[in-house]
Amino acid sequence: PQGSEKAKTFVHAFLKRSMPKMKDEAIQDMLTRKAVVLEHYPKKKTKQKRKKTKGFTAKQRRELRLFEIEPEQQRYAIFLPLHELWKQYIRDLCHGLKPDAQPHMIQSKLLKADLHGAIVTVTKSKCPSYVGITGIILQEFKHVFKIITKEDKLKVVPKLNNVFSLELDGFVSYIYGSKFLLRASERSAKKFKLKGTIDL
């Protein structure tokens, strides 16, 4: 038919224009096989490198005194509202701390909970001077708790070799500091073993 001849002429001309280096015999050979594969080289997209936002180094944080609490702010009464917020946070986390709640479940949630605002007491320690210290946790670091006492004194208590007790709505939990040497952000992702040797 006349239409097919026009189509063949168009395809031949198109191939000739698209592939000028190819000879007529090669084009004709491609047409007889009725399979035409046009080579296409897409433009490579240049990926823009994302600039990583660098935080402060430990030295810069110390120089800027980011984690230091000013002496005029070291008052127990200032942080009581923080403690009330913490209590509500734990109640919501443990679904109300009901009397029939399983202690095992509450303990596992407390292990991963944020302790800023909790009132803790040092119950056991290899250093007798730490025993009896009670106050609100203001800051938790990998190795220490910063605690404000009722006497408006800021105490830095190491976790290592100390046992802390924490009481809320009649539920008392004990924190073995030697097994707690983690930052708060790291604790939330850590899997704690249910059984193990516990010592100071």
Side-chain angles (χ1 to χ4, degrees):
Q2 193 178 357
S4 63
E5 288 298 323
K6 281 185 179 180
K8 193 180 287 186
T9 308
F10 169 77
V11 172
H12 192 279
F14 175 75
L15 291 173
K16 185 79 174 171
R17 191 167 60 251
S18 299
M19 297 178 283
K21 292 180 181 179
M22 192 171 280
K23 293 179 179 179
D24 288 344
E25 292 84 7
I27 292 172
Q28 196 61 42
D29 183 52
M30 290 177 72
L31 288 171
T32 52
R33 285 189 281 116
K34 297 180 182 179
V36 179
V37 180
L38 298 176
E39 293 181 355
H40 175 66
Y41 299 100
K43 291 181 181 178
K44 288 184 180 180
K45 292 181 180 178
T46 54
K47 288 184 179 179
Q48 291 181 345
K49 290 183 179 179
R50 290 183 182 177
K51 289 182 180 179
K52 290 183 179 179
T53 52
K54 289 184 178 180
F56 292 117
T57 62
K59 186 181 178 182
Q60 287 172 327
R61 286 197 293 266
R62 282 195 298 271
E63 287 172 354
L64 292 168
R65 302 172 67 191
L66 291 178
F67 296 115
E68 288 188 26
I69 300 166
E70 297 297 328
E72 61 270 16
Q73 299 293 323
Q74 295 176 15
R75 297 210 314 274
Y76 185 84
I78 291 176
F79 297 99
L80 279 173
L82 175 65
H83 175 60
E84 292 301 318
L85 282 172
W86 181 83
K87 286 199 293 186
Q88 191 56 50
Y89 153 67
I90 294 297
R91 287 179 188 131
D92 293 344
L93 186 69
C94 300
H95 308 294
L97 283 172
K98 296 172 185 175
D100 58 343
Q102 293 181 346
H104 211 71
M105 183 270 293
I106 296 170
Q107 186 72 38
S108 65
K109 287 186 182 293
L110 282 173
L111 282 171
K112 296 187 177 189
D114 191 333
L115 296 178
H116 294 91
I119 291 179
V120 293
T121 302
V122 181
T123 53
K124 290 181 182 179
S125 178
K126 283 191 175 180
C127 180
S129 62
Y130 287 125
V131 177
I133 292 175
T134 303
I136 299 171
I137 294 177
L138 299 188
Q139 292 172 322
E140 180 188 354
F141 299 98
K142 187 173 182 177
H143 297 286
V144 297
F145 286 124
K146 278 191 179 181
I147 297 170
I148 187 80
T149 65
K150 288 182 179 179
E151 293 77 30
D152 296 336
K153 290 183 179 178
L154 188 67
K155 302 279 187 179
V156 179
V157 183
K159 293 179 181 179
L160 191 67
N161 300 328
N162 286 325
V163 178
F164 304 85
S165 68
L166 184 152
E167 190 271 331
L168 180 63
D169 295 346
F171 182 85
V172 180
S173 178
Y174 292 94
I175 297 168
Y176 288 80
S178 300
K179 307 290 181 184
F180 224 64
L181 299 177
L182 295 161
R183 294 181 181 89
S185 57
E186 293 170 350
R187 271 196 298 107
S188 60
K190 181 177 169 62
K191 288 184 179 179
F192 288 91
K193 291 181 180 178
L194 296 175
K195 293 180 181 179
T197 55
I198 295 173
D199 57 355
L200 282 177

